[in-house]
Amino acid sequence: MTAVLRRLDRKYTRLEQIGHVIDIPKGDPEKHLMLYLHVPFCVVLCPFCSFHRVRYKKDRAKQYFSTLRKEIRLAHDAGFRFGEIYVGGGTPTCNVAELAETLELAQRLNPIRQVSIETNPDDLVMDELKILRDAGVNRLSVGVQSLEDKLLHEMERQEKYGNSAEIRERLAMTQGIFDTLNVDLIFNLPHQSLDSVMRDVDILTREIEVDQISCYPLMGATTTTLRMKREMGNVTYNRERVFYEAILDRLPETYQPSSAWCFSKHQSLIDEYIIEHEDYVGLGSGAMSYLGGTLYAASFSINRYIRLVEAGHSGITRMSRFSDKDQMRYNFLMTFFGLKVNKAQMEKRWDGRFEKTLWQEFAAFKLVGAIRDDGENWILTRKGMYYWVLMMREFFIAVSNFRDLMRLGIKSELDPEDLEELSKSATLLAKAGK
Ligand code: SF4
């Protein structure tokens, strides 16, 4: 199953380079889309991470935020209007004043209802949290990953982001400031025990009682798998299901699944905005947009991104147009991850062709008991939840491999240490045909 998924995911992440500068596609002011903003700066570059990020430098970040604001204005001039904002990274809170100014601009130009941002535990500082709350942030998602000191040390996070006791204290202080406080955990880390994950789940849901936890399986892109092997141990997936089932069993009843890996105490926003929003616009270096069946990627070179946008163009340098069937498969993967798909809505979206076109997918997943039909909705079963975790893991690994390939093209902007790691992996990536 994993091999089949890898082939399919590679197809989705094969974006062709555009040889010329293109303008931002035209938007429809009547439609309020999701806006994703990418902030590619981190103080520490964690070994397990394949997001598009570079080391934080204050002047560079200020220049970047200023360009991001220019791109928000360009998108507005092109007719786009946004109802929700998701800011990811990197570490969006690397410069809170710049972030707040950017959010204020986006809200002035758009009918924004919800703002969700990612952060790290060391940025949970009361003065800065108040600035974010006043800037309209509803949901704060904290990348904790683990509450075990040994694992935090292996992930090179303990020194910069705090030890377990410090993180717990900061989370407890933050709980209640925003509509939703989400904590990200990773399961299936090389030296992680089942007890360790259970302890983390207990602390977060029974002690601190955060609004939401997202439990991600370890996702080893080709390059990060190499780095993890050296610094954290071998990456294998044979314990993944045991971890996942144990988490489902351990969660208190008050936490219900919002997606296959996100669990909330009440109705909450979730991380995977691509589940709920078929079309979305991504602004910033390396950001992806999906509009009318075409996937766009902005330049991963921060220099080039700044040059393009400052000259009044979009940052887009790659794109891929999906066939109708591939769009339906993409919808199938994303919407089922949200646990329930309304049959009438989905068939209306595809002129009654959805189930007919994807009959093989439906037949296979019904046969193994992953999907059931209650007449009105297709519903993911508990077994299906794990299959979707597996499929999303493979999808994000493919996206990460694409990002790594893009990063190889911007060597002059990377630190020597990161560059060395990437270069070692280049041959592997080429062999894998990614
Ligand atoms: S895990 Fe978060 S903090 Fe670490 S490098 Fe990735 S984006 Fe940055």
Side-chain angles (χ1 to χ4, degrees):
M1 187 171 181
T2 306
V4 172
L5 283 169
R6 282 186 180 158
R7 271 204 306 278
L8 194 62
D9 290 337
R10 279 207 296 275
K11 191 169 167 184
Y12 284 119
T13 51
R14 198 175 291 137
L15 285 94
E16 300 300 328
Q17 173 120 34
I18 308 167
H20 54 90
V21 167
I22 67 165
D23 287 325
I24 293 185
K26 289 285 168 233
D28 175 356
E30 297 303 312
K31 283 190 184 164
H32 297 165
L33 303 181
M34 160 64 82
L35 170 62
Y36 173 79
L37 299 175
H38 191 74
V39 180
F41 301 102
C42 291
V43 177
V44 173
L45 303 188
C46 310
F48 60 86
C49 172
S50 268
F51 291 126
H52 173 40
R53 77 282 191 261
V54 294
R55 272 171 225 271
Y56 174 73
K57 292 190 180 79
K58 190 175 176 189
D59 290 346
R60 187 83 165 134
K62 280 180 82 127
Q63 183 190 22
Y64 180 85
F65 271 109
S66 165
T67 303
L68 196 53
R69 290 193 285 276
K70 167 134 192 178
E71 203 184 13
I72 290 170
R73 286 191 209 98
L74 289 174
H76 185 264
D77 294 345
F80 285 101
R81 297 295 178 270
F82 303 109
E84 293 177 34
I85 303 178
Y86 188 95
V87 195
T91 309
T93 50
C94 60
N95 190 320
V96 167
E98 290 288 336
L99 174 63
E101 193 179 330
T102 307
L103 291 176
E104 277 154 22
L105 171 73
Q107 288 173 97
R108 228 179 14 253
L109 298 177
N110 296 284
I112 302 292
R113 299 181 310 275
Q114 300 279 359
V115 179
S116 182
I117 65 167
E118 295 173 353
T119 191
N120 274 315
D122 63 321
D123 284 343
L124 302 180
V125 176
M126 191 48 87
D127 288 349
E128 302 210 330
L129 295 175
K130 282 183 185 157
I131 294 173
L132 293 172
R133 189 191 53 197
D134 295 346
V137 173
N138 310 93
R139 177 178 179 275
L140 189 72
S141 177
V142 189
V144 167
Q145 322 309 359
S146 168
L147 286 166
E148 186 177 330
D149 283 333
K150 183 175 73 104
L151 296 175
L152 289 171
H153 176 71
E154 280 182 4
M155 287 187 272
E156 296 176 23
R157 293 180 63 88
Q158 193 179 23
E159 198 180 315
K160 171 64 190 133
Y161 300 129
N163 62 29
S164 174
E166 287 161 343
I167 295 172
R168 287 156 69 169
E169 200 178 307
R170 284 172 183 240
L171 288 173
M173 175 197 77
T174 308
Q175 174 59 34
I177 294 178
F178 300 91
D179 295 343
T180 304
L181 173 66
N182 172 75
V183 171
D184 288 347
L185 287 179
I186 296 179
F187 63 90
N188 195 29
L189 288 161
H191 297 140
Q192 192 176 33
S193 67
L194 203 50
D195 281 350
S196 172
V197 180
M198 297 300 102
R199 248 192 331 269
D200 291 354
V201 169
D202 284 350
I203 291 168
L204 293 170
T205 61
R206 294 185 160 85
E207 203 179 295
I208 307 176
E209 298 186 57
V210 295
D211 302 302
Q212 186 177 71
I213 62 169
S214 299
C215 301
Y216 297 92
L218 181 67
M219 303 181 203
T222 310
T223 52
T224 45
T225 301
L226 285 175
R227 194 169 162 198
M228 274 192 278
K229 189 173 178 185
R230 193 184 64 203
E231 292 166 25
M232 297 167 59
N234 273 335
V235 175
T236 63
Y237 294 106
N238 48 19
R239 298 185 311 156
E240 182 186 69
R241 187 165 191 166
V242 175
F243 275 113
Y244 182 68
E245 297 287 344
I247 290 169
L248 291 186
D249 289 338
R250 191 71 168 206
L251 282 161
E253 267 190 24
T254 41
Y255 287 78
Q256 289 299 312
S258 307
S259 76
W261 59 42
C262 174
F263 308 90
S264 315
K265 266 202 304 192
H266 43 78
Q267 190 74 23
S268 306
L269 281 174
I270 56 174
D271 264 345
E272 272 58 55
Y273 55 91
I274 47 181
I275 299 171
E276 290 171 351
H277 302 268
E278 185 176 339
D279 279 4
Y280 58 87
V281 171
L283 303 182
S285 172
M288 294 202 186
S289 306
Y290 187 72
L291 292 165
T294 300
L295 188 64
Y296 300 90
S299 175
F300 281 68
S301 157
I302 295 176
N303 291 341
R304 186 165 182 214
Y305 163 74
I306 290 175
R307 267 200 317 275
L308 284 171
V309 175
E310 291 300 335
H313 304 293
S314 78
I316 297 169
T317 53
R318 288 185 179 255
M319 61 188 283
S320 176
R321 173 86 199 143
F322 294 170
S323 67
D324 271 10
K325 189 166 183 180
D326 283 342
Q327 287 182 56
M328 285 186 222
R329 280 195 178 126
Y330 180 76
N331 273 180
F332 183 79
L333 177 65
M334 294 306 158
T335 54
F336 272 100
F337 188 62
L339 308 175
K340 190 160 93 174
V341 180
N342 182 280
K343 294 170 65 175
Q345 275 174 18
M346 189 55 97
E347 290 299 358
K348 188 173 168 215
R349 159 72 184 88
W350 287 107
D351 304 324
R353 293 178 292 136
F354 190 68
E355 191 173 8
K356 268 191 218 124
T357 308
L358 301 185
W359 68 270
Q360 285 169 310
E361 284 83 350
F362 273 99
F365 283 110
K366 280 180 181 171
L367 190 70
V368 295
I371 291 175
R372 69 182 171 84
D373 185 337
D374 75 353
E376 198 180 331
N377 303 293
W378 292 299
I379 296 168
L380 210 57
T381 62
R382 175 165 167 147
K383 198 174 186 184
M385 284 169 71
Y386 175 66
Y387 288 145
W388 252 258
V389 165
L390 194 154
M391 289 196 287
M392 290 300 275
R393 182 242 287 163
E394 287 305 315
F395 177 76
F396 284 119
I397 287 176
V399 173
S400 294
N401 282 332
F402 167 72
R403 288 192 195 111
D404 282 345
L405 255 188
M406 296 302 99
R407 277 150 51 80
L408 277 170
I410 57 163
K411 291 177 182 172
S412 60
E413 295 176 37
L414 297 177
D415 272 23
E417 187 189 322
D418 305 316
L419 191 55
E420 189 194 332
E421 204 60 55
L422 272 177
S423 303
K424 272 192 233 154
S425 324
T427 327
L428 274 178
L429 280 167
K431 269 190 199 157
K434 303 218 162 78

